Amino acid sequence: QVQLQESGPGLVKPSQTLSLTCTVSGGSIATEHYYWTWIRQPPGKGLEWIGYITYSGSTYYSPSLKSRTSISRDWVKNQFTLQLSSVTPEDTAVYYCARGRSCSGYVCYGGWDYWGQGTQVTVSS
């Protein structure tokens, strides 16, 4: 059974960097053909895809967030992280990590079969 769990500060001040970690258990992030993904959902809005990192360390980001986004991995800890810089209140959302399948660009034809429970991040002074 694969499990993902998000962790990190729930409150971030404007202009600072949002940093979250996804810890994966029951499977290795080094396994080929998986796309370790960050997705968020602002209040009252739909899901927004942020980006992913592959087993090899290759990354792909949403064009609207690319300039502020960095996703990295730690093979030893079996974790991958999200850093979103220069945040504003519009970045307030529930942030999810998930495992994608059969991805090309931002489209994952196989969907995301495993998700974390999500973590609320509020950007406020």
Side-chain angles (χ1 to χ4, degrees):
Q1 178 67 36
V2 176
Q3 292 183 307
L4 292 79
Q5 182 173 322
E6 305 89 347
S7 62
L11 181 64
V12 183
K13 295 186 180 300
S15 81
Q16 294 185 339
T17 296
L18 181 159
S19 297
L20 296 173
T21 297
C22 183
T23 300
V24 179
S25 60
S28 174
I29 63 171
T31 302
E32 194 173 2
H33 302 139
Y34 294 131
Y35 300 77
W36 305 97
T37 308
W38 287 100
I39 301 166
R40 69 181 184 180
Q41 185 171 32
K45 299 181 180 180
L47 296 170
E48 179 184 15
W49 180 86
I50 299 172
Y52 62 69
I53 188 167
T54 72
Y55 74 98
S56 66
S58 299
T59 55
Y60 197 90
Y61 304 128
S62 169
S64 64
L65 299 172
K66 182 178 181 179
S67 65
R68 300 193 291 130
T69 305
S70 179
I71 300 175
S72 58
R73 77 211 196 285
D74 187 327
W75 290 2
V76 175
K77 296 181 179 180
N78 210 39
Q79 298 175 330
F80 62 104
T81 63
L82 169 69
Q83 292 189 308
L84 185 65
S85 65
S86 303
V87 297
T88 72
E90 285 67 44
D91 292 310
T92 294
V94 176
Y95 284 76
Y96 299 92
C97 56
R99 188 177 78 169
R101 302 292 300 275
S102 303
C103 300
S104 179
Y106 58 81
V107 179
C108 294
Y109 298 97
W112 297 271
D113 54 357
Y114 292 98
W115 293 65
Q117 66 181 15
T119 186
Q120 173 70 44
V121 178
T122 300
V123 179
S124 176
S125 299

